Amino acid sequence: MNKVAVYRKAHFNAAHRLHNANLGDAENAELFGKCNFPNYHGHNYELIVKLVGEIDPKTGYVYDLKKLADLIDECVIEKMDHRNLNLDVPEFKNLNPTAENIVVVIYNLLREKIESKYELKVTLYETERNFVEFPA
Amino acid sequence: MNKVAVYRKAHFNAAHRLHNANLGDAENAELFGKCNFPNYHGHNYELIVKLVGEIDPKTGYVYDLKKLADLIDECVIEKMDHRNLNLDVPEFKNLNPTAENIVVVIYNLLREKIESKYELKVTLYETERNFVEFPA
Amino acid sequence: MNKVAVYRKAHFNAAHRLHNANLGDAENAELFGKCNFPNYHGHNYELIVKLVGEIDPKTGYVYDLKKLADLIDECVIEKMDHRNLNLDVPEFKNLNPTAENIVVVIYNLLREKIESKYELKVTLYETERNFVEFPA
Amino acid sequence: MNKVAVYRKAHFNAAHRLHNANLGDAENAELFGKCNFPNYHGHNYELIVKLVGEIDPKTGYVYDLKKLADLIDECVIEKMDHRNLNLDVPEFKNLNPTAENIVVVIYNLLREKIESKYELKVTLYETERNFVEFPA
Amino acid sequence: MNKVAVYRKAHFNAAHRLHNANLGDAENAELFGKCNFPNYHGHNYELIVKLVGEIDPKTGYVYDLKKLADLIDECVIEKMDHRNLNLDVPEFKNLNPTAENIVVVIYNLLREKIESKYELKVTLYETERNFVEFPA
Amino acid sequence: MNKVAVYRKAHFNAAHRLHNANLGDAENAELFGKCNFPNYHGHNYELIVKLVGEIDPKTGYVYDLKKLADLIDECVIEKMDHRNLNLDVPEFKNLNPTAENIVVVIYNLLREKIESKYELKVTLYETERNFVEFPA
């Protein structure tokens, strides 16, 4: 009856730049400060994926964390690791790659591969001091 | 009216092996991979116990964390630290010691010692990258 | 529709002593042990502030974390960093500076500066092993 | 002329038990306490491998850390991960698997695969609080 | 022949204030800034004690880390934990409790209890970002 | 007589790409793998600066760590934080920004601002698992 949450941590290293193409340079600089510098900067992103479900009595698992790790690799790490989020990842072609937008993109990528019976939540650390979570 | 959550972290070192005695060796190997190796492996388990309640105006505490630490020692650490979960801990005689099952066992051990007015949640780290929580 | 949580971590170093002025010395010593020693001790407090809201499509932010960091500095760090909580911080003149009481004080300081449309939660680490959260 | 040190971190999970087969049970229990419990316990071992050498002007590397990671996998992780050090790893057949002895074994395994022009040092964390280094 | 280093981590929480009684208030304020505030602040001090020696073939230990932990408790933690370094610890009666001076005091306390055949080094973290080591 | 080491930790976020302009694309791809991807990736670089010297009896400091923090900001963080190392930092115009080369550049930037009586060492974490130190 009561459910258990399982968590798997992963990471990727990427470049990005905060920029809204619909706004002028001065407004972008004001809104995003150093994060708007033209030649990109980057982060070691840390990702925590949480699934909630019931324990399978056969395995004692809610979800095989090895399988979850492989899924995160396939859906997220392959796409974003050692990449420039603005230039290389189609999801950010017209979407500013803030931590908030990245975490929603990652959630959507995983959500379509994980059966709906599992509740899903994603936490993304951009730095040790700044992090985000979706859904809240 | 509003409640505060208090958390206490503890740890123990234990050996275990994932194995379902109702299944054959081949199926166990396939389900659990390296975690099924016959001679056990082990972990530094990290445990976080969360209690939710109201602040006692006399002490300023929700729950004396020294008392909580002692309770965790008595109920959990004494039983599991430097032990083989499969062989030494009766709760796992017929229960596969996955992180999910361990966290539920720990929750139940603590739940009977902590007054019902406190909401209780337990988080268990098996490795830095794999962890579980009960109830979710 | 779905909301995103954003988190900002900060820290301050302060002295404090647990003591209830309405109780005698023996009872204080019994209730608070080493935390009641008369000449104060201290901690590196770690603070995590969580806001929940919707992503602003213009910025891609729920809340500018640089602005949140500045707000935490102004409201909390300026007031508590390198201070003696019992002697220097008026909020604790008649309130025992337990982690539980500190986190509620910090929540209230921030709550009045952050628009009500944002849900707010504060986590405070007193040590790596003892921490609290408000509201729970 | 001046040399640079490069470090690579890895980890493995293993069971072990401290026991000197030349001593009686009582002496073993006295020497090793809980670490001598008969059914093994275990750890998340963290390993840091340090190489010192000159920067290769072609690559800008002292040593390709991807190659070092692969070497650690082959020589150490394959042999020890998810294993019982006492029963499964031949080097400990007649050698007590204390952190000190494990770190020397790991050093020797790596030393024969790494050219002698590189200085080598290995650090091994048994727990967050207990760790060892060889050579000192 | 080759020696192994063993490390043990401990911690204590203390209040202190940087102040040189031979200097005036203005000079103290200028030299030490917020660290000179009159009512003290405090830290979660993290301590790492390193001993270097040969492996004892009987135990496989350089030094029993349980014994080292007890020694650190007796010599350092008992004296400094939950104390005001300036007021409660005689060594700082006429010595400014900077991290540098504290680490030398701790080294001296331990050095007289540890046989001279072991090389000793002490690292002290005042915050996650500021730390010191003696001897260098 | 005996010297004390003091350490200060800092961090910066930067984009980079490993590439040797004297080599062809195929050889660059083979040497550097994902780190050679054309549009850059990035890291949260963690920097630890170590100075060794004698304690000044007036202050109790080897070196004022606030002053050291400011110096690191001026010489290193201003130049590299939120920048593209290959494009924005002149030192890497003809130098491949591997961790090894970055740590030597940082050492040289600091060495000219720190009096020669202090021994200087710099550690640079590119990820939690890969780090370098100069001089070794």
Side-chain angles (χ1 to χ4, degrees), chain E residues 18 20 27 32 96 98 100-101 128-134 136, chain F residues 2-9 11 52 58-62:
Chain E
L18 301 190
N20 179 340
E27 193 171 2
F32 302 117
N96 197 3
T98 58
E100 289 91 329
N101 282 331
E128 193 210 340
R129 300 197 163 205
N130 290 351
F131 52 108
V132 299
E133 199 170 63
F134 181 78
Chain F
N2 272 321
K3 295 194 167 180
V4 176
V6 299
Y7 295 83
R8 175 72 191 174
K9 197 171 169 181
H11 67 263
V52 176
K58 182 177 174 188
T59 56
Y61 285 161
V62 166

PDB file of all heavy atoms in Angstrom, chain E residues 18 20 27 32 96 98 100-101 128-134 136, chain F residues 2-9 11 52 58-62:
ATOM      1  N   LEU E  18      38.608  36.382  17.015  1.00  0.00           N
ATOM      2  CA  LEU E  18      40.007  36.749  16.771  1.00  0.00           C
ATOM      3  C   LEU E  18      40.274  38.106  17.400  1.00  0.00           C
ATOM      4  O   LEU E  18      39.552  39.068  17.145  1.00  0.00           O
ATOM      5  CB  LEU E  18      40.317  36.758  15.273  1.00  0.00           C
ATOM      6  CG  LEU E  18      40.083  35.428  14.556  1.00  0.00           C
ATOM      7  CD1 LEU E  18      40.644  35.488  13.139  1.00  0.00           C
ATOM      8  CD2 LEU E  18      40.680  34.254  15.307  1.00  0.00           C
ATOM      9  N   ASN E  20      43.770  40.327  19.339  1.00  0.00           N
ATOM     10  CA  ASN E  20      45.106  40.391  19.935  1.00  0.00           C
ATOM     11  C   ASN E  20      45.057  41.427  21.051  1.00  0.00           C
ATOM     12  O   ASN E  20      44.927  42.637  20.790  1.00  0.00           O
ATOM     13  CB  ASN E  20      46.128  40.773  18.848  1.00  0.00           C
ATOM     14  CG  ASN E  20      47.529  40.877  19.427  1.00  0.00           C
ATOM     15  OD1 ASN E  20      47.713  41.041  20.644  1.00  0.00           O
ATOM     16  ND2 ASN E  20      48.531  40.809  18.556  1.00  0.00           N
ATOM     17  N   GLU E  27      42.647  48.689  15.730  1.00  0.00           N
ATOM     18  CA  GLU E  27      43.562  47.844  14.958  1.00  0.00           C
ATOM     19  C   GLU E  27      43.043  46.414  14.881  1.00  0.00           C
ATOM     20  O   GLU E  27      43.139  45.763  13.840  1.00  0.00           O
ATOM     21  CB  GLU E  27      44.969  47.876  15.580  1.00  0.00           C
ATOM     22  CG  GLU E  27      45.999  47.266  14.631  1.00  0.00           C
ATOM     23  CD  GLU E  27      47.443  47.474  15.092  1.00  0.00           C
ATOM     24  OE1 GLU E  27      47.646  48.064  16.187  1.00  0.00           O
ATOM     25  OE2 GLU E  27      48.351  47.031  14.355  1.00  0.00           O
ATOM     26  N   PHE E  32      41.009  41.990  11.765  1.00  0.00           N
ATOM     27  CA  PHE E  32      40.217  40.753  11.812  1.00  0.00           C
ATOM     28  C   PHE E  32      38.768  40.902  11.337  1.00  0.00           C
ATOM     29  O   PHE E  32      38.038  39.909  11.248  1.00  0.00           O
ATOM     30  CB  PHE E  32      40.256  40.168  13.227  1.00  0.00           C
ATOM     31  CG  PHE E  32      41.648  39.877  13.710  1.00  0.00           C
ATOM     32  CD1 PHE E  32      42.193  40.526  14.811  1.00  0.00           C
ATOM     33  CD2 PHE E  32      42.434  38.954  13.015  1.00  0.00           C
ATOM     34  CE1 PHE E  32      43.491  40.259  15.243  1.00  0.00           C
ATOM     35  CE2 PHE E  32      43.740  38.686  13.433  1.00  0.00           C
ATOM     36  CZ  PHE E  32      44.269  39.339  14.542  1.00  0.00           C
ATOM     37  N   ASN E  96      45.937  34.050  20.196  1.00  0.00           N
ATOM     38  CA  ASN E  96      44.787  34.316  19.333  1.00  0.00           C
ATOM     39  C   ASN E  96      44.339  33.017  18.649  1.00  0.00           C
ATOM     40  O   ASN E  96      45.134  32.383  17.972  1.00  0.00           O
ATOM     41  CB  ASN E  96      45.224  35.364  18.292  1.00  0.00           C
ATOM     42  CG  ASN E  96      44.048  36.025  17.600  1.00  0.00           C
ATOM     43  OD1 ASN E  96      42.889  35.754  17.913  1.00  0.00           O
ATOM     44  ND2 ASN E  96      44.355  36.889  16.655  1.00  0.00           N
ATOM     45  N   THR E  98      43.330  31.740  15.990  1.00  0.00           N
ATOM     46  CA  THR E  98      43.225  31.594  14.532  1.00  0.00           C
ATOM     47  C   THR E  98      43.319  30.103  14.208  1.00  0.00           C
ATOM     48  O   THR E  98      43.833  29.303  15.006  1.00  0.00           O
ATOM     49  CB  THR E  98      44.386  32.308  13.829  1.00  0.00           C
ATOM     50  OG1 THR E  98      45.615  31.760  14.322  1.00  0.00           O
ATOM     51  CG2 THR E  98      44.366  33.804  14.080  1.00  0.00           C
ATOM     52  N   GLU E 100      45.383  28.748  12.315  1.00  0.00           N
ATOM     53  CA  GLU E 100      46.798  28.385  12.358  1.00  0.00           C
ATOM     54  C   GLU E 100      47.231  28.056  13.787  1.00  0.00           C
ATOM     55  O   GLU E 100      47.912  27.049  14.011  1.00  0.00           O
ATOM     56  CB  GLU E 100      47.675  29.552  11.847  1.00  0.00           C
ATOM     57  CG  GLU E 100      47.590  29.818  10.362  1.00  0.00           C
ATOM     58  CD  GLU E 100      46.514  30.850   9.995  1.00  0.00           C
ATOM     59  OE1 GLU E 100      45.479  30.933  10.705  1.00  0.00           O
ATOM     60  OE2 GLU E 100      46.731  31.572   9.008  1.00  0.00           O
ATOM     61  N   ASN E 101      46.860  28.906  14.735  1.00  0.00           N
ATOM     62  CA  ASN E 101      47.254  28.636  16.118  1.00  0.00           C
ATOM     63  C   ASN E 101      46.524  27.415  16.694  1.00  0.00           C
ATOM     64  O   ASN E 101      47.110  26.646  17.453  1.00  0.00           O
ATOM     65  CB  ASN E 101      47.016  29.879  16.998  1.00  0.00           C
ATOM     66  CG  ASN E 101      48.112  30.926  16.809  1.00  0.00           C
ATOM     67  OD1 ASN E 101      49.263  30.592  16.488  1.00  0.00           O
ATOM     68  ND2 ASN E 101      47.763  32.192  16.983  1.00  0.00           N
ATOM     69  N   GLU E 128      34.367  25.166   5.037  1.00  0.00           N
ATOM     70  CA  GLU E 128      34.646  24.325   3.863  1.00  0.00           C
ATOM     71  C   GLU E 128      35.701  24.992   2.980  1.00  0.00           C
ATOM     72  O   GLU E 128      36.399  24.332   2.232  1.00  0.00           O
ATOM     73  CB  GLU E 128      33.332  24.158   3.094  1.00  0.00           C
ATOM     74  CG  GLU E 128      33.371  23.082   2.035  1.00  0.00           C
ATOM     75  CD  GLU E 128      32.443  23.418   0.879  1.00  0.00           C
ATOM     76  OE1 GLU E 128      31.526  24.244   1.087  1.00  0.00           O
ATOM     77  OE2 GLU E 128      32.674  22.889  -0.214  1.00  0.00           O
ATOM     78  N   ARG E 129      35.802  26.303   3.051  1.00  0.00           N
ATOM     79  CA  ARG E 129      36.710  27.037   2.156  1.00  0.00           C
ATOM     80  C   ARG E 129      38.031  27.455   2.776  1.00  0.00           C
ATOM     81  O   ARG E 129      38.931  27.891   2.061  1.00  0.00           O
ATOM     82  CB  ARG E 129      36.018  28.300   1.644  1.00  0.00           C
ATOM     83  CG  ARG E 129      34.760  27.979   0.882  1.00  0.00           C
ATOM     84  CD  ARG E 129      34.341  29.143   0.054  1.00  0.00           C
ATOM     85  NE  ARG E 129      33.410  28.668  -0.936  1.00  0.00           N
ATOM     86  CZ  ARG E 129      33.188  29.255  -2.098  1.00  0.00           C
ATOM     87  NH1 ARG E 129      33.825  30.375  -2.394  1.00  0.00           N
ATOM     88  NH2 ARG E 129      32.342  28.759  -2.946  1.00  0.00           N
ATOM     89  N   ASN E 130      38.133  27.419   4.082  1.00  0.00           N
ATOM     90  CA  ASN E 130      39.362  27.848   4.757  1.00  0.00           C
ATOM     91  C   ASN E 130      39.893  26.708   5.608  1.00  0.00           C
ATOM     92  O   ASN E 130      39.213  26.262   6.530  1.00  0.00           O
ATOM     93  CB  ASN E 130      39.076  29.029   5.704  1.00  0.00           C
ATOM     94  CG  ASN E 130      38.746  30.311   4.982  1.00  0.00           C
ATOM     95  OD1 ASN E 130      38.875  30.401   3.764  1.00  0.00           O
ATOM     96  ND2 ASN E 130      38.324  31.307   5.739  1.00  0.00           N
ATOM     97  N   PHE E 131      41.123  26.276   5.342  1.00  0.00           N
ATOM     98  CA  PHE E 131      41.686  25.245   6.188  1.00  0.00           C
ATOM     99  C   PHE E 131      43.196  25.355   6.278  1.00  0.00           C
ATOM    100  O   PHE E 131      43.823  26.100   5.507  1.00  0.00           O
ATOM    101  CB  PHE E 131      41.225  23.844   5.764  1.00  0.00           C
ATOM    102  CG  PHE E 131      41.398  23.466   4.331  1.00  0.00           C
ATOM    103  CD1 PHE E 131      42.372  22.549   3.969  1.00  0.00           C
ATOM    104  CD2 PHE E 131      40.568  23.982   3.350  1.00  0.00           C
ATOM    105  CE1 PHE E 131      42.519  22.160   2.640  1.00  0.00           C
ATOM    106  CE2 PHE E 131      40.714  23.594   2.022  1.00  0.00           C
ATOM    107  CZ  PHE E 131      41.699  22.688   1.672  1.00  0.00           C
ATOM    108  N   VAL E 132      43.765  24.665   7.247  1.00  0.00           N
ATOM    109  CA  VAL E 132      45.189  24.806   7.562  1.00  0.00           C
ATOM    110  C   VAL E 132      45.769  23.436   7.900  1.00  0.00           C
ATOM    111  O   VAL E 132      45.036  22.493   8.203  1.00  0.00           O
ATOM    112  CB  VAL E 132      45.401  25.754   8.769  1.00  0.00           C
ATOM    113  CG1 VAL E 132      44.872  27.148   8.476  1.00  0.00           C
ATOM    114  CG2 VAL E 132      44.748  25.195  10.025  1.00  0.00           C
ATOM    115  N   GLU E 133      47.095  23.351   7.883  1.00  0.00           N
ATOM    116  CA  GLU E 133      47.779  22.079   8.083  1.00  0.00           C
ATOM    117  C   GLU E 133      49.101  22.320   8.809  1.00  0.00           C
ATOM    118  O   GLU E 133      49.810  23.266   8.464  1.00  0.00           O
ATOM    119  CB  GLU E 133      48.056  21.498   6.698  1.00  0.00           C
ATOM    120  CG  GLU E 133      48.343  20.039   6.650  1.00  0.00           C
ATOM    121  CD  GLU E 133      48.361  19.583   5.199  1.00  0.00           C
ATOM    122  OE1 GLU E 133      49.223  20.062   4.451  1.00  0.00           O
ATOM    123  OE2 GLU E 133      47.502  18.765   4.822  1.00  0.00           O
ATOM    124  N   PHE E 134      49.404  21.429   9.750  1.00  0.00           N
ATOM    125  CA  PHE E 134      50.664  21.566  10.469  1.00  0.00           C
ATOM    126  C   PHE E 134      51.221  20.191  10.809  1.00  0.00           C
ATOM    127  O   PHE E 134      50.461  19.337  11.297  1.00  0.00           O
ATOM    128  CB  PHE E 134      50.481  22.365  11.758  1.00  0.00           C
ATOM    129  CG  PHE E 134      51.773  22.543  12.507  1.00  0.00           C
ATOM    130  CD1 PHE E 134      52.697  23.482  12.100  1.00  0.00           C
ATOM    131  CD2 PHE E 134      52.077  21.731  13.605  1.00  0.00           C
ATOM    132  CE1 PHE E 134      53.916  23.634  12.781  1.00  0.00           C
ATOM    133  CE2 PHE E 134      53.276  21.889  14.282  1.00  0.00           C
ATOM    134  CZ  PHE E 134      54.186  22.836  13.874  1.00  0.00           C
ATOM    135  N   ALA E 136      53.573  21.837   7.736  1.00  0.00           N
ATOM    136  CA  ALA E 136      53.298  21.951   6.290  1.00  0.00           C
ATOM    137  C   ALA E 136      54.095  20.878   5.547  1.00  0.00           C
ATOM    138  O   ALA E 136      55.174  20.496   5.964  1.00  0.00           O
ATOM    139  CB  ALA E 136      53.664  23.337   5.811  1.00  0.00           C
TER     140      ALA E 136
ATOM    141  N   ASN F   2      58.919  25.644  12.450  1.00  0.00           N
ATOM    142  CA  ASN F   2      58.038  24.809  11.654  1.00  0.00           C
ATOM    143  C   ASN F   2      57.004  25.674  10.950  1.00  0.00           C
ATOM    144  O   ASN F   2      56.478  26.617  11.515  1.00  0.00           O
ATOM    145  CB  ASN F   2      57.323  23.779  12.541  1.00  0.00           C
ATOM    146  CG  ASN F   2      58.148  22.528  12.682  1.00  0.00           C
ATOM    147  OD1 ASN F   2      58.781  22.082  11.727  1.00  0.00           O
ATOM    148  ND2 ASN F   2      58.149  21.964  13.880  1.00  0.00           N
ATOM    149  N   LYS F   3      56.670  25.301   9.748  1.00  0.00           N
ATOM    150  CA  LYS F   3      55.774  26.109   8.951  1.00  0.00           C
ATOM    151  C   LYS F   3      54.366  25.513   8.936  1.00  0.00           C
ATOM    152  O   LYS F   3      54.166  24.323   9.142  1.00  0.00           O
ATOM    153  CB  LYS F   3      56.324  26.221   7.541  1.00  0.00           C
ATOM    154  CG  LYS F   3      57.670  26.981   7.540  1.00  0.00           C
ATOM    155  CD  LYS F   3      58.085  27.399   6.162  1.00  0.00           C
ATOM    156  CE  LYS F   3      59.234  28.409   6.270  1.00  0.00           C
ATOM    157  NZ  LYS F   3      59.666  28.826   4.925  1.00  0.00           N
ATOM    158  N   VAL F   4      53.408  26.395   8.678  1.00  0.00           N
ATOM    159  CA  VAL F   4      52.009  26.012   8.601  1.00  0.00           C
ATOM    160  C   VAL F   4      51.533  26.253   7.163  1.00  0.00           C
ATOM    161  O   VAL F   4      51.941  27.223   6.528  1.00  0.00           O
ATOM    162  CB  VAL F   4      51.156  26.845   9.590  1.00  0.00           C
ATOM    163  CG1 VAL F   4      49.674  26.533   9.455  1.00  0.00           C
ATOM    164  CG2 VAL F   4      51.615  26.610  11.037  1.00  0.00           C
ATOM    165  N   ALA F   5      50.672  25.362   6.677  1.00  0.00           N
ATOM    166  CA  ALA F   5      50.047  25.566   5.368  1.00  0.00           C
ATOM    167  C   ALA F   5      48.653  26.125   5.570  1.00  0.00           C
ATOM    168  O   ALA F   5      47.929  25.676   6.453  1.00  0.00           O
ATOM    169  CB  ALA F   5      49.960  24.242   4.618  1.00  0.00           C
ATOM    170  N   VAL F   6      48.285  27.107   4.752  1.00  0.00           N
ATOM    171  CA  VAL F   6      46.908  27.610   4.760  1.00  0.00           C
ATOM    172  C   VAL F   6      46.327  27.412   3.366  1.00  0.00           C
ATOM    173  O   VAL F   6      47.032  27.523   2.361  1.00  0.00           O
ATOM    174  CB  VAL F   6      46.821  29.097   5.177  1.00  0.00           C
ATOM    175  CG1 VAL F   6      47.367  29.278   6.591  1.00  0.00           C
ATOM    176  CG2 VAL F   6      47.541  30.017   4.208  1.00  0.00           C
ATOM    177  N   TYR F   7      45.021  27.110   3.343  1.00  0.00           N
ATOM    178  CA  TYR F   7      44.348  26.769   2.091  1.00  0.00           C
ATOM    179  C   TYR F   7      43.097  27.631   1.926  1.00  0.00           C
ATOM    180  O   TYR F   7      42.375  27.857   2.905  1.00  0.00           O
ATOM    181  CB  TYR F   7      43.876  25.315   2.121  1.00  0.00           C
ATOM    182  CG  TYR F   7      44.929  24.255   2.187  1.00  0.00           C
ATOM    183  CD1 TYR F   7      45.501  23.873   3.402  1.00  0.00           C
ATOM    184  CD2 TYR F   7      45.340  23.605   1.035  1.00  0.00           C
ATOM    185  CE1 TYR F   7      46.449  22.865   3.455  1.00  0.00           C
ATOM    186  CE2 TYR F   7      46.293  22.589   1.084  1.00  0.00           C
ATOM    187  CZ  TYR F   7      46.840  22.227   2.297  1.00  0.00           C
ATOM    188  OH  TYR F   7      47.779  21.230   2.353  1.00  0.00           O
ATOM    189  N   ARG F   8      42.848  28.018   0.701  1.00  0.00           N
ATOM    190  CA  ARG F   8      41.614  28.733   0.373  1.00  0.00           C
ATOM    191  C   ARG F   8      40.997  28.112  -0.879  1.00  0.00           C
ATOM    192  O   ARG F   8      41.692  27.918  -1.872  1.00  0.00           O
ATOM    193  CB  ARG F   8      41.906  30.211   0.125  1.00  0.00           C
ATOM    194  CG  ARG F   8      40.726  31.031  -0.336  1.00  0.00           C
ATOM    195  CD  ARG F   8      39.704  31.284   0.751  1.00  0.00           C
ATOM    196  NE  ARG F   8      38.482  31.843   0.193  1.00  0.00           N
ATOM    197  CZ  ARG F   8      37.372  32.060   0.891  1.00  0.00           C
ATOM    198  NH1 ARG F   8      37.327  31.794   2.184  1.00  0.00           N
ATOM    199  NH2 ARG F   8      36.308  32.545   0.326  1.00  0.00           N
ATOM    200  N   LYS F   9      39.720  27.825  -0.778  1.00  0.00           N
ATOM    201  CA  LYS F   9      39.001  27.206  -1.883  1.00  0.00           C
ATOM    202  C   LYS F   9      38.173  28.252  -2.620  1.00  0.00           C
ATOM    203  O   LYS F   9      37.573  29.130  -1.993  1.00  0.00           O
ATOM    204  CB  LYS F   9      38.064  26.146  -1.281  1.00  0.00           C
ATOM    205  CG  LYS F   9      37.538  25.138  -2.243  1.00  0.00           C
ATOM    206  CD  LYS F   9      36.810  24.039  -1.447  1.00  0.00           C
ATOM    207  CE  LYS F   9      36.028  23.129  -2.350  1.00  0.00           C
ATOM    208  NZ  LYS F   9      35.320  22.093  -1.566  1.00  0.00           N
ATOM    209  N   HIS F  11      35.902  28.880  -6.704  1.00  0.00           N
ATOM    210  CA  HIS F  11      35.412  28.145  -7.876  1.00  0.00           C
ATOM    211  C   HIS F  11      35.051  29.098  -8.993  1.00  0.00           C
ATOM    212  O   HIS F  11      34.815  30.285  -8.791  1.00  0.00           O
ATOM    213  CB  HIS F  11      34.226  27.254  -7.510  1.00  0.00           C
ATOM    214  CG  HIS F  11      33.010  28.019  -7.118  1.00  0.00           C
ATOM    215  ND1 HIS F  11      32.675  28.264  -5.826  1.00  0.00           N
ATOM    216  CD2 HIS F  11      32.055  28.600  -7.871  1.00  0.00           C
ATOM    217  CE1 HIS F  11      31.564  28.962  -5.794  1.00  0.00           C
ATOM    218  NE2 HIS F  11      31.186  29.187  -7.012  1.00  0.00           N
ATOM    219  N   VAL F  52      52.370  28.193   2.100  1.00  0.00           N
ATOM    220  CA  VAL F  52      53.093  27.717   3.280  1.00  0.00           C
ATOM    221  C   VAL F  52      54.001  28.826   3.782  1.00  0.00           C
ATOM    222  O   VAL F  52      54.729  29.452   3.001  1.00  0.00           O
ATOM    223  CB  VAL F  52      53.945  26.479   2.938  1.00  0.00           C
ATOM    224  CG1 VAL F  52      54.776  26.049   4.129  1.00  0.00           C
ATOM    225  CG2 VAL F  52      53.061  25.348   2.457  1.00  0.00           C
ATOM    226  N   LYS F  58      51.872  38.661  15.394  1.00  0.00           N
ATOM    227  CA  LYS F  58      50.937  39.766  15.625  1.00  0.00           C
ATOM    228  C   LYS F  58      49.493  39.356  15.317  1.00  0.00           C
ATOM    229  O   LYS F  58      48.568  39.665  16.073  1.00  0.00           O
ATOM    230  CB  LYS F  58      51.339  40.958  14.756  1.00  0.00           C
ATOM    231  CG  LYS F  58      50.458  42.186  14.940  1.00  0.00           C
ATOM    232  CD  LYS F  58      50.975  43.335  14.090  1.00  0.00           C
ATOM    233  CE  LYS F  58      50.026  44.534  14.142  1.00  0.00           C
ATOM    234  NZ  LYS F  58      50.433  45.563  13.173  1.00  0.00           N
ATOM    235  N   THR F  59      49.303  38.674  14.173  1.00  0.00           N
ATOM    236  CA  THR F  59      47.946  38.336  13.744  1.00  0.00           C
ATOM    237  C   THR F  59      47.561  36.890  14.054  1.00  0.00           C
ATOM    238  O   THR F  59      46.368  36.562  14.093  1.00  0.00           O
ATOM    239  CB  THR F  59      47.813  38.514  12.218  1.00  0.00           C
ATOM    240  OG1 THR F  59      48.821  37.694  11.601  1.00  0.00           O
ATOM    241  CG2 THR F  59      48.012  39.959  11.798  1.00  0.00           C
ATOM    242  N   GLY F  60      48.547  36.040  14.193  1.00  0.00           N
ATOM    243  CA  GLY F  60      48.231  34.617  14.285  1.00  0.00           C
ATOM    244  C   GLY F  60      47.942  34.002  12.926  1.00  0.00           C
ATOM    245  O   GLY F  60      47.516  32.857  12.830  1.00  0.00           O
ATOM    246  N   TYR F  61      48.142  34.782  11.892  1.00  0.00           N
ATOM    247  CA  TYR F  61      47.904  34.320  10.516  1.00  0.00           C
ATOM    248  C   TYR F  61      49.229  33.961   9.834  1.00  0.00           C
ATOM    249  O   TYR F  61      50.242  34.638  10.051  1.00  0.00           O
ATOM    250  CB  TYR F  61      47.304  35.451   9.666  1.00  0.00           C
ATOM    251  CG  TYR F  61      45.858  35.787   9.884  1.00  0.00           C
ATOM    252  CD1 TYR F  61      45.376  37.032   9.464  1.00  0.00           C
ATOM    253  CD2 TYR F  61      44.954  34.900  10.450  1.00  0.00           C
ATOM    254  CE1 TYR F  61      44.033  37.381   9.607  1.00  0.00           C
ATOM    255  CE2 TYR F  61      43.611  35.253  10.602  1.00  0.00           C
ATOM    256  CZ  TYR F  61      43.159  36.483  10.184  1.00  0.00           C
ATOM    257  OH  TYR F  61      41.831  36.833  10.325  1.00  0.00           O
ATOM    258  N   VAL F  62      49.205  32.968   8.936  1.00  0.00           N
ATOM    259  CA  VAL F  62      50.278  32.821   7.958  1.00  0.00           C
ATOM    260  C   VAL F  62      50.064  33.849   6.853  1.00  0.00           C
ATOM    261  O   VAL F  62      50.996  34.517   6.391  1.00  0.00           O
ATOM    262  CB  VAL F  62      50.292  31.393   7.369  1.00  0.00           C
ATOM    263  CG1 VAL F  62      51.156  31.320   6.117  1.00  0.00           C
ATOM    264  CG2 VAL F  62      50.801  30.403   8.418  1.00  0.00           C
TER     265      VAL F  62
END
